Amino acid sequence: MARLSPFKIALIFMVVFANLVCCNNGRRVGDPLETELSGFSVPLEHSFELDDVAKFESRGSLLLKTGREPSVSLTQNQLSEEDRAKLKEVAAVDGLYRIRVPRVFLQADRQTEWQMEGHLTAFVRACAMVESHLSDVITLHSDVSGYLIGVSIVTLPGACRGTEVEDEVDLEVFNTTLSIIAPVNAPGPETALFLERMEQESEKKGKNTQEQKSFFAKYVRACGL
């Protein structure tokens, strides 16, 4: 069997090493794969009732990706024929369409770690949902520590104009834009620079005072006072 020269061995090592680096996808050696793919699912529920008493049912589920910059995706159910008819009835009496999500901590690494602490609820007029053809924008709001603290929903368009809508064509599939908003930390005050400027101004004022006193003393001596 022919022996490989040191040059060929070095070249093969470089190629193998380059492939390993390119396929590493930013993970360090020893990091678990699930860290990159971590996330958990929570229910998205909705309610629209003629008696205006909320009875929440499943609309879909939110997949929350954790980390420094949380993200969210959505899977949704279609409205049944019965639900489409009920939504139009609620819209006709100017009722409300409600949604709710659990209040959870976005930094939980696995689904078993998140704990629900009540629900966050938002609503729009049911007629707006009907006339928008189920086109809505849902926004989740979190605090600086990563807890969900609010949810909002608006429709596109948002006004109720009495437009007729066909059940089978326009009220079956949700068309939702979903986002999550976290607060941005404001830049902190430059305390050290501020104190340095204060000291410089204080020293400058002290120097000016001494100069004024020296000038006044010279003036008194010159005048024989």
Side-chain angles (χ1 to χ4, degrees), residues 40 63 71 96 112 122 124 127 144 161 168 171 174:
F40 56 95
L63 179 60
S71 62
L96 298 178
T112 55
V124 293
C127 58
V144 292
R161 302 176 180 176
E168 294 79 7
L171 293 180
F174 287 97

Side-chain angles (χ1 to χ4, degrees), residues 39-54:
F40 56 95
S41 177
V42 298
L44 170 65
E45 299 175 303
H46 63 176
S47 173
F48 43 99
E49 304 296 332
L50 285 170
D51 58 6
D52 203 31
V53 177

